[in-house]
Every structure is written in C-alpha cells, then in structure tokens.
Amino acid sequence: MSEGPEDKSIELTTDYADHTINMKFSDNLTDDRERGYILSAAFFSFCAARGLDKQAVIEMVSSHYDQFTGDNGSSLFKRL
C-alpha cells in the first residue's frame, strides 16, 4: 500500500520596515505551479471567508496586479 502525498507548507511573514512580504517554502515544495496553486487557493479561501463576491475579487486583482509584475524594479515578486 502506497503512502499519501507529503505535506508541504508556505510560511508568510511581513517586514514593514522593508515593505516586503517574505515567503519560506518547505524543502519539498519546489514546483512553481504547485506553489502558485497553494497560494491561489489560500487567497481565494481568504476572499470567500471575508465574504467578498466575485466582482470584488476581480476588481482587486485588476487594480493591484501591476504591483506584483511591474518591470521597474518595484515588483513585489522581484523582491521575494
């Protein structure tokens, strides 16, 4: 009988002095697609728990997406 999949984790911390969100992935979490899936699931779960409707989530992503993907060095992802 085979064992189930290994548990994996992502730890998020903030550093307000540096204006960063830091992510620490468990050693067995190396696939970027899997990381994205876990982070996306956590985001949508948070939104649902807060009672945000689909349109509010769409507007939030639309309004702030460039902060994460900008090419001018200010991208939040580039600082991680």
Side-chain angles (χ1 to χ4, degrees), residues 21-73:
I21 298 172
N22 307 298
M23 289 188 259
K24 180 180 177 185
F25 300 97
S26 59
D27 292 339
N28 62 349
L29 186 51
T30 57
D31 184 318
D32 285 339
R33 292 173 299 167
E34 193 171 26
R35 288 177 177 185
Y37 174 78
I38 293 168
L39 291 168
S40 297
F43 171 72
F44 288 121
S45 176
F46 172 79
C47 290
R50 299 290 297 176
L52 296 174
D53 65 11
K54 183 178 177 180
Q55 190 59 40
V57 174
I58 290 169
E59 290 172 11
M60 183 186 334
V61 170
S62 179
S63 297
H64 300 289
Y65 190 77
D66 290 341
Q67 292 176 7
F68 292 91
T69 60
D71 288 330
N72 64 1

